[in-house]
Amino acid sequence: MTNKVIFDYRFTSEKDSLHYKMRKDVSSLLNVSTVFKIFINEDLYFEQEEFPILEFYKYLYKWKRSIQKDKKIYEFHYYSIEHDDEEGAIISLIPFGDKIRLKSIWAELELYNVFELDYLISELIALETRLKRDLENYFQIELDKFIKHIPSRYIL
């Protein structure tokens, strides 16, 4: 069985809720949110309203840079600053061999969530690229000027 994944998001923050002068305001950065969904084979696997998209974007950004720099596929674990991580990561990618598992502690359904490694990596890199473009267009900002100020517990 070949799995397909779709990452979908819709901004819930107002367009004027983020601008250049707010780049160092942590609460403003964490309040930028979306409804974020992950579909596996058209079934809703993950849905979160008020998803802190800038924090998630920073995790994707740093992960992408690490794998491009080191030419090695690392596990990906997204933990929100606002969430107690005792249960585990909100979203994880766990590579093994030529496969990779997508996992969420907030999964809507138990689905077969193993993908071809190259496929899911390329989908996540495309998600990071799309998120950057959409965030910059929606808020009329340059993310490069915000990225260092976005809080994150990202550890590789």
Side-chain angles (χ1 to χ4, degrees):
M1 177 178 193
T2 301
N3 277 332
K4 297 291 179 196
V5 66
I6 296 172
F7 298 101
D8 184 56
Y9 52 89
R10 178 180 48 81
F11 294 111
T12 55
S13 298
E14 297 295 324
K15 288 183 177 192
D16 63 355
S17 64
L18 186 64
H19 50 80
Y20 184 72
K21 291 179 183 175
M22 301 169 116
R23 72 189 182 285
K24 294 180 183 179
D25 182 352
V26 171
S27 72
S28 293
L29 296 172
L30 289 175
N31 283 329
V32 173
S33 61
T34 64
V35 173
F36 188 79
K37 298 177 185 180
I38 301 172
F39 294 89
I40 297 177
N41 298 328
E42 299 180 18
D43 291 317
L44 181 62
Y45 175 70
F46 174 90
E47 179 177 24
Q48 184 66 41
E49 294 186 20
E50 303 303 315
F51 190 74
I53 198 66
L54 286 174
E55 182 184 42
F56 179 70
Y57 171 79
K58 185 168 184 175
Y59 272 75
L60 276 178
Y61 170 83
K62 289 183 152 248
W63 176 80
K64 177 181 140 182
R65 288 188 58 186
S66 295
I67 64 172
Q68 288 175 334
K69 176 184 163 206
D70 298 344
K71 306 294 186 221
K72 178 181 177 188
I73 304 299
Y74 294 102
E75 289 187 5
F76 173 85
H77 301 284
Y78 167 61
Y79 297 92
S80 174
I81 287 176
E82 296 179 340
H83 171 69
D84 179 9
D85 64 344
E86 230 173 79
E87 297 176 66
I90 295 170
I91 298 173
S92 294
L93 298 168
I94 303 150
F96 57 98
D98 63 348
K99 306 281 186 217
I100 190 165
R101 182 170 182 226
L102 170 65
K103 181 181 172 191
S104 174
I105 59 169
W106 295 340
E108 298 285 327
L109 297 170
E110 288 299 317
L111 296 173
Y112 183 70
N113 51 5
V114 174
F115 298 84
E116 296 296 322
L117 181 70
D118 291 341
Y119 166 74
L120 195 54
I121 296 301
S122 68
E123 290 297 312
L124 275 164
I125 289 171
L127 173 62
E128 187 272 341
T129 302
R130 198 170 78 238
L131 267 173
K132 180 176 190 207
R133 180 197 67 220
D134 292 347
L135 284 162
E136 288 182 338
N137 288 337
Y138 187 80
F139 293 107
Q140 296 297 299
I141 61 169
E142 292 177 46
L143 270 175
D144 293 342
K145 294 183 175 156
F146 283 73
I147 197 79
K148 70 181 178 186
H149 303 292
I150 301 168
S152 165
R153 298 184 325 187
Y154 182 85
I155 301 170
L156 182 60

